[in-house]
């Protein structure tokens, strides 16, 4: 790598606070995954465990989208443009779960 | 953040033209909307998994007495319990846990690459992009092993309703449970794996451009930010695949 070319570019020194925050979010994601892992083997299977897993997944999704993808620090208009259409996904979840149960009842 | 593209927002009308109303460049905005559409594709696949799972009978007994049968939906921790080099050891979900950590870590190195790009730190971008690529390749290698194990099956196999013994899984038969379980495994992890693969290719292009100094000449590292968005999305999808396919 030739150093001569890069002489005119000013490298801004690293902001330790920022990097610290990145690693903090990483630690949160790792800890939540470990908690999910422990629950998978200690709690009885059922609707409560499924709800806990879904809740923890949404926590992880929030940290990835808000911090890693930086959405939390964007303009309000951009945040809502991305978040509002995901309501359609919630609708699909409800619709297809009802449908799945209906198929099960017809088959059995 | 003096080096990120700044846009004059002092004009009276935000939506009147001449300014970027969402304070993001065209490319970044389009990446967000592409990811939104990709989120719909993945949701469709994962919700279909839910539909098909609920349309099949669930296993009623205890976890310790679980045996594979094509009659009911399997418990994932009994299917995904193998780890490379530890043949015959029952280690439920350990390997997929390791894969999850690898992908989360590669997401962290990607944020660090974006952060280095904001500071015009070419060496930092090169270093962290390289770690991200290594993380992605490791994940792909793990997934290749898991697929191979899933396709070949266990030594004992499973006897199906017709009295034949089935080993492993493909798109028509499956020793672990109903054939649709294997089909969904191939479709969902395959679709995600292909995203990881294209992500690694794109990351490599960005890494190469950073090495040859393209972004330094351009004066900003916004391309790192855009691929960063894509790479985090791939990690985000894996978080959902991990919960919905492996935990529940």
């Amino acid at each position: 790598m030739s150093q001569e070319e890069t002489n005119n570019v000013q490298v801004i020194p690293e902001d330790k606070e920022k990097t610290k925050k990145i690693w903090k979010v990483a630690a949160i994601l790792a800890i939540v995954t470990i908690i999910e892992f422990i629950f998978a083997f200690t709690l009885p299977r059922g609707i409560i465990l499924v709800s806990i897993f879904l809740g923890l997944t949404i926590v992880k999704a929030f940290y990835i989208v808000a911090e890693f993808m930086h959405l939390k620090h964007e303009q309000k208009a951009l945040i809502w443009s991305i978040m509002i259409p995901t309501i359609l996904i919630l609708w699909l979840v409800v619709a297809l779960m009802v449908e799945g149960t209906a198929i099960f009842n017809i088959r059995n | 953040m003096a080096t990120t593209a700044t846009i004059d927002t002092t004009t009276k009308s935000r939506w009147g033209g001449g300014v970027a109303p969402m304070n993001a460049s065209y490319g970044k905005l389009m990446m967000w909307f592409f990811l939104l559409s990709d989120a719909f594709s993945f949701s469709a696949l994962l919700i279909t998994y839910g539909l098909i799972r609920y349309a099949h009978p669930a296993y009623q007994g205890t976890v310790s007495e679980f045996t594979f049968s094509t009659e009911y939906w399997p418990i994932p921790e009994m299917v995904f319990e193998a780890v490379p080099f530890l043949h015959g050891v029952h280690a439920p979900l350990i390997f997929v846990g390791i894969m999850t950590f690898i992908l989360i870590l590669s997401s962290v190195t990607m944020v660090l690459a974006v952060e280095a790009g904001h500071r015009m730190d070419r060496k930092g971008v090169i270093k962290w992009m390289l770690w991200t690529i290594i993380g992605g390749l490791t994940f792909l290698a793990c997934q290749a092993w898991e697929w191979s194990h899933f396709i070949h099956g266990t030594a004992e196999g499973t006897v199906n309703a017709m009295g034949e013994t089935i080993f492993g899984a493909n798109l028509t038969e499956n020793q672990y449970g109903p054939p649709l379980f294997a089909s969904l495994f191939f479709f969902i992890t395959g679709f995600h794996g292909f995203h990881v693969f294209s992500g690694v290719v794109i990351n490599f292009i960005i890494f190469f451009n950073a090495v040859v100094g393209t972004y330094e000449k351009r004066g900003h590292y916004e391309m790192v930010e855009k691929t960063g968005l894509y790479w985090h999305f791939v990690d985000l999808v894996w978080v959902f695949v991990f919960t919905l396919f492996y935990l529940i």
Side-chain angles (χ1 to χ4, degrees):
Chain A
M1 270 180 263
S2 59
Q3 290 297 310
E4 289 83 351
E5 280 177 54
T6 63
N7 275 351
N8 54 345
V9 177
Q10 281 288 296
V11 177
I12 301 157
E14 192 184 326
D15 181 359
K16 289 278 175 214
E17 280 298 301
K18 252 187 205 162
T19 0
K20 227 171 130 184
K21 203 181 169 200
I22 293 169
W23 285 106
K24 203 183 124 194
V25 174
I28 292 169
L29 291 175
I31 290 164
V32 173
T33 309
I34 291 167
I35 291 171
E36 283 181 330
F37 216 80
I38 295 166
F39 281 178
F41 298 109
T42 50
L43 295 182
R45 295 193 157 266
I47 190 83
I48 298 165
L49 187 64
V50 170
S51 319
I52 292 172
F53 280 150
L54 290 178
L56 290 175
T57 306
I58 288 164
V59 170
K60 284 206 278 187
F62 169 79
Y63 276 106
I64 292 173
V65 176
E67 295 298 339
F68 283 2
M69 296 171 91
H70 214 256
L71 190 62
K72 201 177 147 191
H73 312 282
E74 300 285 356
Q75 294 266 331
K76 280 259 152 52
L78 178 51
I79 296 175
W80 289 117
S81 308
I82 301 301
M83 293 316 292
I84 291 172
T86 56
I87 293 170
L88 291 169
I89 296 173
L90 294 181
W91 167 78
L92 194 63
V93 172
V94 175
L96 290 200
M97 291 307 108
V98 172
E99 195 77 359
T101 318
I103 293 171
F104 178 80
N105 289 334
I106 288 167
R107 276 183 179 170
N108 294 278
Chain B
M1 299 245 269
T3 45
T4 47
T6 48
I7 288 141
D8 178 30
T9 46
T10 51
T11 334
K12 270 181 201 123
S13 168
R14 179 173 278 275
W15 299 91
V19 292
M22 289 183 183
N23 223 348
S25 70
Y26 174 78
K28 218 167 124 180
L29 214 52
M30 289 306 115
M31 179 52 92
W32 268 112
F33 287 121
F34 161 68
L35 294 180
L36 184 64
S37 72
D38 222 14
F40 286 141
S41 313
F42 274 109
S43 325
L45 282 169
L46 284 168
I47 298 168
T48 305
Y49 174 84
L51 170 114
I52 292 173
R53 183 175 181 159
Y54 280 113
H56 279 82
Y59 172 69
Q60 297 296 341
T62 57
V63 177
S64 54
E65 283 163 5
F66 179 81
T67 47
F68 292 132
S69 164
T70 46
E71 298 299 307
Y72 47 77
W73 205 258
I75 302 175
E77 64 185 68
M78 302 306 279
V79 180
F80 307 101
E81 45 101 68
V83 175
F85 313 115
L86 294 172
H87 185 73
V89 178
H90 176 68
L93 303 179
I94 297 292
F95 190 53
V96 73
I98 296 168
M99 284 166 72
T100 307
F101 274 108
I102 292 168
L103 210 57
I104 288 176
L105 272 179
S106 84
S107 216
V108 177
T109 56
M110 188 78 220
V111 196
L112 291 167
V114 172
E115 193 269 336
H118 284 158
R119 295 184 288 105
M120 295 303 287
D121 180 0
R122 191 176 75 153
K123 277 186 184 156
V125 173
I126 291 169
K127 178 176 87 180
W128 292 118
M129 283 309 291
L130 194 60
W131 278 113
T132 310
I133 293 165
I134 291 169
L137 287 174
T138 315
F139 181 86
L140 283 174
C142 292
Q143 205 167 37
W145 186 89
E146 184 158 90
W147 270 52
S148 155
H149 182 84
F150 190 82
I151 291 166
H152 289 296
T154 58
E156 307 85 48
T158 301
V159 182
N160 71 2
M162 268 108 76
E164 306 155 324
T165 310
I166 319 164
F167 297 97
N170 52 42
L171 288 176
T172 51
E173 49 176 34
N174 173 12
Q175 78 155 87
Y176 309 101
L180 280 173
F181 173 73
S183 311
L184 285 161
F185 173 80
F186 291 129
F187 269 99
I188 294 172
T189 65
F191 198 53
H192 176 264
F194 189 69
H195 272 74
V196 178
F197 172 73
S198 30
V200 169
V201 172
I202 297 163
N203 282 348
F204 182 79
I205 296 167
I206 301 300
F207 165 76
F208 178 82
N209 283 346
V211 169
V212 299
T214 309
Y215 304 130
E216 200 151 272
K217 267 183 230 128
R218 196 176 287 174
H220 61 82
Y221 281 82
E222 208 198 47
M223 280 311 286
V224 182
E225 237 177 294
K226 285 180 219 160
T227 47
L229 285 177
Y230 180 72
W231 191 252
H232 297 315
F233 177 75
V234 168
D235 182 32
L236 176 72
V237 169
W238 183 254
V239 163
F240 280 93
V241 172
F242 178 67
T243 302
L244 296 171
F245 215 100
Y246 293 92
L247 287 179
I248 290 177

